[in-house]
Amino acid sequence: MSRAPNTRKFGEKRDAIVNAASILINDAGVQATTLADVAQAIGLNATSVTYYFPRKEQLVVAVYDETLTLMERMAAEALEQDNPAARLRHFIAAHVTLRKRIRAGERGLTTALSEIRTLDRAAYDALMAHYLRVVDLVRRFFGDWADREERALFSARAHILLEAMMWWPVWSLRYSVLDFSRIEDRLFDILAYGLPTTRGLVDPQQLVGNWRTSDDEQAGQNEAFLRAATVTINERGYRGASVSRIAESLNVTKGSFYHHHEAKDDLVLACFQQSYDRLSAVQIAGRDIETDYWTRLSSVLAELIDLQFFDGTPLLRTTALQALDAEHKEDVVTRSNRLARRFAGMLIDGVADGSVRAIDPLVAGQVLMSTVNSAYDARHWAARFDKSEDAVKTYLSVMAQGMITAPA
């Protein structure tokens, strides 16, 4: 079927449709957004929208591609700066400025990339290729790598930085826009120079607890559903993690699922609860060992990163938030903020005992939450290391050393 020529009017209408879809997807998620909803939002009928996007998935791909194009432009502009510190500062400032514009009333500028995994393989591969172009630009913020090890380190920095910027819109809601300039400075300081007073210090202690998945453990059916659902949602997103697919992975019927959970949303909430319970248990185990607070905190981070890299049941990705309704989403974000504040408390105690620099603990707590969250998507990166402990140490070094080799 032929399409209209690329006239300005055609482009403006297409952009309006993409903008409206972006707003709806951010508010309600991909599954709940329909072409009819998009059409109604801009005063068209559904047939008019299908003229531009015959299938909903085509529109969803366009929405995600717009966000990736914006991210790519922001990264390219930052890369033009003179040195790594200037590039990092420019990139953070661009994201803070974008949030100011959104807070001032502009909508549809960016879309949470949480459900890319739910798309068909061809669409997913194209969008991931676009995302990897963004990663490559950010990786080059830190200069030319000398060898494989340094490239791996720069990749970790890029991954952690991008995740921090994608998590920033969630916790930025807790701050007035009048405080954004200060937050920008504190974010730069934390990401550039790390957390401990002794820069680069990484000496995590082994923690003891039952948050790991045991190969020999005979889990009950409900526990098995939680594990299977967490892995499936992380891999395929909320929409791709159908009840049938989760049940099939356990070789049970859908009826068994509904015996334990009234709806899939209930299961997602239970997965978040289990993940946050595990994260909390690791925090408490690290908090209560007898050593300085940076060592306690780095021990917690090392254990959580290792769990995300190598455990059979990782923590549930926060991207699943996008599919939840507003009430449940608020509950999950509230629990996440409590865990971030516990990190902040450990940082405050570290400042008091001299093991942590005088950084903003509330901002740093959120950065730590996004760093732990990001580690799941770095599993393939971690698998390239000959020793698992080297992967954990390299990833953790971004918080221990910072992203800038020496203060500017």
Side-chain angles (χ1 to χ4, degrees), residues 164 167-175 183 187 337 363 366-367:
W167 184 237
W168 149 248
V170 177
W171 62 270
S172 67
L173 296 173
R174 305 182 67 208
Y175 289 88
I183 300 302
L187 269 171
N337 284 332
V363 174
Q366 296 292 350
V367 172

Side-chain angles (χ1 to χ4, degrees), residues 111 170 208 217 277 353:
T111 309
V170 177
V208 178
E217 184 178 349
D277 285 347
D353 72 16

Side-chain angles (χ1 to χ4, degrees), residues 247-263:
E248 286 171 8
S249 71
L250 296 170
N251 197 27
V252 299
T253 65
K254 289 174 65 175
S256 297
F257 169 90
Y258 288 114
H259 175 72
H260 294 281
H261 304 279
E262 292 184 5

Side-chain angles (χ1 to χ4, degrees), residues 20-29 32-33 107 322-326 329:
S22 174
I23 294 168
L24 290 169
I25 290 171
N26 277 338
D27 289 344
T33 299
R107 303 187 69 196
Q322 188 67 16
L324 296 175
D325 61 41
K329 189 182 297 185

Side-chain angles (χ1 to χ4, degrees), residues 213 219-237 240-252 257 261 264 267-268 271 274 278 312-314 316 376:
T213 302
Q221 194 172 75
N222 189 51
E223 177 71 13
F225 268 120
L226 292 176
R227 292 179 179 177
T230 297
V231 171
T232 306
I233 293 169
N234 279 354
E235 291 178 350
R236 297 178 177 271
S242 66
V243 172
S244 295
R245 181 170 278 128
I246 295 168
E248 286 171 8
S249 71
L250 296 170
N251 197 27
V252 299
F257 169 90
H261 304 279
K264 191 167 80 169
L267 180 61
V268 174
C271 288
Q274 184 195 57
R278 295 167 73 199
T313 310
L316 185 64
Y376 172 79

Side-chain angles (χ1 to χ4, degrees), residues 334-408:
T334 296
R335 180 81 192 274
S336 173
N337 284 332
R338 289 172 183 165
L339 296 169
R341 282 196 292 273
R342 184 175 291 147
F343 277 139
M346 296 175 74
L347 288 162
I348 291 169
D349 290 335
V351 172
D353 72 16
S355 63
V356 174
R357 294 193 305 118
I359 44 82
D360 186 313
L362 294 175
V363 174
Q366 296 292 350
V367 172
L368 293 180
M369 289 295 290
S370 68
T371 298
V372 170
N373 189 62
S374 71
Y376 172 79
D377 282 334
R379 280 192 163 208
H380 292 301
W381 172 90
R384 299 189 188 108
F385 285 78
D386 295 330
K387 298 179 179 179
S388 60
E389 56 267 30
D390 289 341
V392 173
K393 185 176 181 180
T394 299
Y395 213 72
L396 179 56
S397 73
V398 179
M399 289 294 101
Q401 175 75 24
M403 298 184 180
I404 306 304
T405 301

Side-chain angles (χ1 to χ4, degrees), residues 282-356:
V282 176
Q283 285 181 320
I284 297 301
R287 187 194 64 185
D288 291 344
I289 61 178
E290 293 297 326
T291 184
D292 65 82
Y293 269 91
W294 168 245
T295 302
R296 299 184 201 203
L297 180 58
S298 60
S299 300
V300 170
L301 295 174
E303 178 65 21
L304 290 170
I305 291 168
D306 189 271
L307 187 154
Q308 291 287 69
F309 283 168
F310 304 115
D311 194 72
T313 310
L315 305 177
L316 185 64
R317 292 280 281 121
T318 54
T319 52
L321 276 171
Q322 188 67 16
L324 296 175
D325 61 41
E327 180 181 354
H328 289 138
K329 189 182 297 185
E330 184 178 357
D331 290 343
V332 171
V333 171
T334 296
R335 180 81 192 274
S336 173
N337 284 332
R338 289 172 183 165
L339 296 169
R341 282 196 292 273
R342 184 175 291 147
F343 277 139
M346 296 175 74
L347 288 162
I348 291 169
D349 290 335
V351 172
D353 72 16
S355 63
V356 174

Side-chain angles (χ1 to χ4, degrees), residues 14-80:
R14 182 188 181 279
D15 289 346
I17 293 170
V18 171
N19 181 277
S22 174
I23 294 168
L24 290 169
I25 290 171
N26 277 338
D27 289 344
V30 169
Q31 187 174 27
T33 299
T34 68
L35 292 179
D37 293 332
V38 175
Q40 184 178 15
I42 53 177
L44 296 176
N45 57 49
T47 303
S48 297
V49 172
T50 57
Y51 180 74
Y52 294 84
F53 299 99
R55 295 187 299 111
K56 173 181 165 181
E57 187 160 279
Q58 292 175 318
L59 176 55
V60 173
V61 169
V63 167
Y64 286 145
D65 197 58
E66 286 287 327
T67 291
L68 289 168
T69 298
L70 176 59
M71 290 173 63
E72 186 175 17
R73 183 165 65 248
M74 292 163 75
E77 290 172 355
L79 187 57
E80 292 176 356

